[in-house]
């Protein structure tokens, strides 16, 4: 399906340094919270915004002797995500312990999957505008536990710990360094988020931290990246720095741009980029060193002895595959091919799965993709935006909007009346066809009635008749008067024809 | 004979017949415990709980609803989490910790009507072979030579001392490298480590997760069969619990091992082993032969690598398992000075809260898992472990039913005797037992004789995975043939 939409590869971003041109090479590690009611290894709730330490099982608090038990639903969600990214599913995976001390990590280790992740190689097609897309390879997806939250600003002398988030399942989705600019990086996150939301495996809420990114950035001279792609030999690329914990598209772009320019300045000065972890400060728009490679933790990974290797059956994976929803690329292609939408409209409508679902429900009623797209995108979205509402909270149902479009198609109402009707249905509710009948909003195509109205205007306006006979362009004035007199219901085409005929022009 | 000296099977029969009540047996044990402070076997006494449970057990027995363990008073190793009762793993770092939950094993026992007399001492976090690493001070072996106090072994030394001195009818133990079998041998009692996965680890303070396994420590083989049946279960809360139903182990005790094949591993005849141990082994071999078993010499070629592999894997897992004791949520937290932050809190808490042996193993474990050493130590030890397991698999595949070895390289040693020895000398206590943990097999220690000093010595039988019933039957034959009825003379 992907190849169905033919696309061009975008040009990499080039930054002109003081001495030469430079290209960017970017890889992403996205931490996506698995949509699941319970945590990865305990039955505690994952609900957001609860009282601190109210969603904590004994194992989450690392009480002595407590043991983790794998939540099968989280495994299914990871597999579903893998299938959605066209990735290999590993029927045998294993959990490892990543050891480090921190108060919001009660066990003193995070259970993760270093050596044998559940999902292997896949890909994402990142849209960069109509007909332009970047294919980004996915290296792996592994499951791991989230940490809790340390709170340092509640008391001058004490720190507090909230373990509600401790043990919540995360998917770490690791890309290859196939992203070539700040805009592509943001677009990658947008696309990944879109797919996850279509799949229902992560809600993609970046504000709540349910989707966070670590970005690996390096720079190289033009031509070097192609050598890397040919050989997969990283020595052709520059030394990378990792920007930690980015949770907004805007910051991702700004941070990458800053970081690339910082590295270029160092290199052009004859220096070397030090591999390290850096933090982005949005207030100052700069990145700062967090820890260097030498200071990096030794996590002492080893297989978690409390959990046996995870073995899943192909049949179980097939069952998940059979129940997969239609994904954005496929939906977009279908909207273009089968419903005749422009690629732009199809992109807008498929950006959020709720919008696409709404649109399809409208089409099901009115059976006109193009009209439905116009009305959903231009009228409904505009109206919702005015109210600051999301599509889920739309006061107008797809059946109602479909009903309005059906009345337009049948010629029962004009486009102008339809907009009035839209506002009535939007604010007051009700069945569009009934409203049109009850309020006499039907378009008048009764030629007799129109003729009478035209005769009346002609009789009342002898001066205008003379002018129009001399200058036929003035016929529009008569048409306007007739439509005005009919309360907007007279069919403009019919009026124009009759006026012309009566005036003999 | 006083009631605290009863075996489980004798008590069960007498309780069912109405000849005695659980309250009477429990009171007898409680008074024995009160008179045995010199043994330092119990680190927490729970007489109120004991009497309440005993009364409830008596009611169940009266109602005709009496599982085998109903009304049987037990000592519980301090490693098992017991709801509302101090659980400290003999470590200062868990000072004041009272779990809000009950371990699966103890819950199984209470569900069967058993009675908790209290918590019994052990080596700190089950790391040791003498209970000398306990924060409560060492438990003392009821057996002694003249005026010399001896260790009951470890880590389940409090359990062993309590059972041997009749301070309970039986006790729970745990065994990571020999912690049930060595103290059983040192005190003249029976101790079985079941197949890994037979008994739930949920609620047992972890030492080395891939090796830890709980088991009963009892006065007789029959008692071990009865109590193991009550402790074992398939537990969905422990992912390493294996879904194999628990059979009636007592029903396997036929006393008939005719035609069974007993393997004698030549690699277990180690250099420097006391002559008496070798002699005991030969005698045990003869006993099984006389009972109609076929004796075959076998080879377990990777045995000599077992101890080093064990002392890489167990500390590695321990270093991670013990990371949670950080002073943040429960247990001991060091007093902090002005300006101390989280790092100082960790460092001081763990330096003050853990004893030297635990610190040593955390250091070893941290080292062997660290970048650059992982392959040389941990991964290599894992490969050795696989080879050791293969050794056993091949022997069992060749038709061997059980393997007979010494349980320990010596009889009980004096308290303080190893104080100046290198830690490795202490680790040598586990030389015959660690292979069984590395291979995940069931192993049982049976008292077979006394040495020249008059101290008990035990032999170990190793069985096929999930073959505890058959293993216990072999042990029963050995027990009967040895006729070990010696008891320590009461001095405490």
């Amino acid at each position: 399906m992907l190849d169905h939409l033919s696309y061009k590869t975008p040009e990499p971003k080039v930054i002109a340094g003081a001495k030469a041109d430079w290209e960017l090479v970017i890889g992403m590690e996205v931490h996506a919270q698995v949509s699941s009611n319970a945590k990865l290894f305990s039955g505690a709730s994952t609900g957001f915004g609860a009282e601190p330490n109210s969603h904590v099982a004994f194992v989450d608090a690392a009480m002595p002797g407590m043991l983790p038990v794998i939540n099968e639903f989280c495994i299914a969600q990871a597999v579903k995500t893998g299938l959605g990214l066209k990735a290999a599913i590993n029927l045998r995976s294993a959990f490892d312990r990543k050891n480090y001390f921190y108060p919001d990590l009660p066990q003193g280790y995070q259970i993760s999957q270093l050596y044998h992740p559940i999902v292997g190689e896949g890909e994402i097609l990142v849209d960069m505008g109509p007909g332009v897309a970047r294919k980004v390879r996915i290296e792996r997806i592994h499951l791991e536990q989230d940490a809790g939250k340390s709170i340092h600003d509640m008391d001058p002398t004490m720190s507090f710990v909230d373990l509600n988030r401790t043990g919540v399942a995360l998917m770490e989705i690791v890309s290859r360094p196939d992203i070539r600019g700040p805009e592509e990086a943001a677009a990658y996150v947008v696309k990944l988020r879109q797919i996850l939301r279509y799949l229902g495996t992560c809600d993609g809420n970046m504000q709540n931290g349910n989707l966070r990114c670590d970005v690996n950035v390096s720079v190289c001279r033009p031509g070097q990246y192609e050598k890397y792609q040919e050989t997969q030999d990283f020595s052709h690329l520059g030394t990378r720095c990792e920007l930690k914990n980015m949770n907004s598209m805007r910051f991702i772009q700004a941070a990458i741009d800053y970081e690339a320019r910082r590295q270029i300045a160092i290199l052009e000065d004859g220096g070397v980029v030090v591999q390290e972890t850096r933090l982005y400060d949005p207030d100052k728009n700069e990145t700062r060193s967090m820890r260097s490679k030498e200071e990096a933790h030794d996590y002492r990974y080893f297989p978690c002895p409390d959990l046996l290797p995870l073995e899943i059956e192909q049949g179980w994976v097939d069952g998940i595959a059979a129940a997969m929803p239609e994904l954005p690329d496929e939906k977009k292609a279908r909207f273009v091919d089968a419903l005749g939408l422009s690629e732009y409209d199809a992109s807008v409508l498929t950006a959020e799965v709720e919008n696409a679902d709404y649109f399809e429900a409208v089409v099901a009623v009115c059976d006109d993709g193009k009209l439905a797209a116009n009305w959903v995108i231009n009228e409904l979205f505009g109206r919702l935006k005015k109210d600051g509402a999301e599509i889920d909270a739309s006061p107008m149902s797809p059946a109602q909007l479909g009903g309005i479009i059906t009345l337009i198609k049948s010629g029962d109402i004009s486009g102008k009346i339809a907009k009035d009707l839209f506002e009535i249905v939007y604010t007051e509710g009700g069945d569009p066809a009934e409203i049109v009948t009850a309020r006499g909003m039907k378009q008048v195509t009764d030629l007799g009635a129109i003729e009478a109205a035209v005769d009346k205007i002609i009789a009342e306006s002898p001066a205008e008749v003379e002018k129009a006979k001399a200058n036929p362009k003035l016929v529009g004035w008569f048409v306007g008067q007739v439509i005005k007199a009919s309360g907007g219901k007279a069919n403009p085409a019919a009026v124009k024809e009759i006026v012309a005929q009566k005036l003999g022009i | 004979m006083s009631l605290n000296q009863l075996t489980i099977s004798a008590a069960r029969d007498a309780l069912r017949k109405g000849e005695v009540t659980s309250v009477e047996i429990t009171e007898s044990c409680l008074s024995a415990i009160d008179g045995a402070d010199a043994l330092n076997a119990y680190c927490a006494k729970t007489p109120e709980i004991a009497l309440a449970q005993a009364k409830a057990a008596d009611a169940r027995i009266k109602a005709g609803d009496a599982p085998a363990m109903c009304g049987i008073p037990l000592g519980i190793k301090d490693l098992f989490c017991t709801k509302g009762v101090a659980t400290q793993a003999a470590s200062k770092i868990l000072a004041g910790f009272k779990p809000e939950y009950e371990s699966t094993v103890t819950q199984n026992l209470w569900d069967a009507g058993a009675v908790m007399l209290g918590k019994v001492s052990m080596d700190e976090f089950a790391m040791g072979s003498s209970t000398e690493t306990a924060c409560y001070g060492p438990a003392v072996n009821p057996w002694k030579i003249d005026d010399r106090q001896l260790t009951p072994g470890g880590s389940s030394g409090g359990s062993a001392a309590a059972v041997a001195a009749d301070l309970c009818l039986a006790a729970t133990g745990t065994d990571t490298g020999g912690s049930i079998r060595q103290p059983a041998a040192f005190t003249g009692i029976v101790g079985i480590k079941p197949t890994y996965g037979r008994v739930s680890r949920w609620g047992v303070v972890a030492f080395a997760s891939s090796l830890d396994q709980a088991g009963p420590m009892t006065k007789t083989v029959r008692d071990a069969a009865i109590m193991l049946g009550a402790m074992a279960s398939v537990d969905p809360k422990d992912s390493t619990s294996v879904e194999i139903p628990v059979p009636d182990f007592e029903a396997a005790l036929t006393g008939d091992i005719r035609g069974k094949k007993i393997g004698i591993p030549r690699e277990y005849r180690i250099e420097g082993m006391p002559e008496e141990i070798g002699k005991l082994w030969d005698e045990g071999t003869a006993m099984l032969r006389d009972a109609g078993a076929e004796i075959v010499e076998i080879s377990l070629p990777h045995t000599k690598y077992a101890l080093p592999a064990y002392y890489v894997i167990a500390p590695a897992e321990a270093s991670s398992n013990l990371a949670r004791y950080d002073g943040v949520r429960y247990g001991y937290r060091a007093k902090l000075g002005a300006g101390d932050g989280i790092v100082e809190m960790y460092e001081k808490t763990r330096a003050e809260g853990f004893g030297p042996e635990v610190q040593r193993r955390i250091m070893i474990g941290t080292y062997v898992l660290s970048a650059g050493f992982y392959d040389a130590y941990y991964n290599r030890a894992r490969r050795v472990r696989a080879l050791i397991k293969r050794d056993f698999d091949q022997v069992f595949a060749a038709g061997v039913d059980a393997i007979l070895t010494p349980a320990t390289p010596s009889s009980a040693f004096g308290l303080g005797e190893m104080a100046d020895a290198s830690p490795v000398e202490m680790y040598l206590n586990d030389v015959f037992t660690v292979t069984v943990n590395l291979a995940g097999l069931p192993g049982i220690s049976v008292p077979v004789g006394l040495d020249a000093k008059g101290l008990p010595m035990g032999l170990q039988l190793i069985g096929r995975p999930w073959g505890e019933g058959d293993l216990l039957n072999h042990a029963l034959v050995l027990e009967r043939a040895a006729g070990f009825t010696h008891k320590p003379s009461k001095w405490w």
Side-chain angles (χ1 to χ4, degrees), chain B residues 24-61:
Chain B
E24 288 166 340
I25 303 173
T26 300
E27 281 173 340
S28 172
C29 288
L30 289 171
S31 110
I33 292 167
D34 280 339
D37 286 348
L39 295 180
N40 203 26
Y42 280 80
C43 53
K45 302 175 190 176
T46 56
E48 294 85 4
I49 294 173
L51 289 169
Q53 286 177 330
K55 274 181 201 148
D58 282 333
R60 274 179 82 175
I61 292 164

Side-chain angles (χ1 to χ4, degrees), chain A residues 209-282:
Chain A
N210 297 354
L211 195 79
R212 285 115 69 186
C213 314
D214 299 341
V215 188
N216 285 290
V217 181
S218 67
V219 295
C220 65
R221 300 296 310 281
Q224 291 300 107
Y225 183 77
E226 288 69 21
K227 287 184 191 162
Y228 155 72
Q229 279 293 18
E230 270 167 41
T231 58
Q232 295 299 308
D233 179 353
F234 286 100
S235 70
H236 295 297
L237 302 179
T239 303
R240 68 177 195 272
C241 289
E242 183 179 22
L243 309 176
K244 275 274 179 205
N245 258 332
M246 317 286 300
N247 67 347
S248 109
M249 308 294 180
R250 195 159 61 84
F251 293 163
I252 289 171
Q253 296 190 54
I256 292 171
D257 191 67
Y258 174 87
E259 178 59 20
R261 288 174 196 281
R262 185 188 72 87
Q263 292 181 14
I264 291 166
I266 291 172
L267 294 170
E268 292 197 335
D269 237 22
V272 282
V273 174
V274 181
Q275 186 179 334
E276 61 185 354
T277 302
R278 299 179 69 86
L279 274 182
Y280 176 68
D281 180 342

Side-chain angles (χ1 to χ4, degrees), chain A residues 68 89 99 199 212 232 267 329 373 376-377 432 483:
Chain A
I89 306 300
N99 294 281
L199 293 167
R212 285 115 69 186
Q232 295 299 308
L267 294 170
D329 288 337
V376 169
I377 295 171
I483 291 175

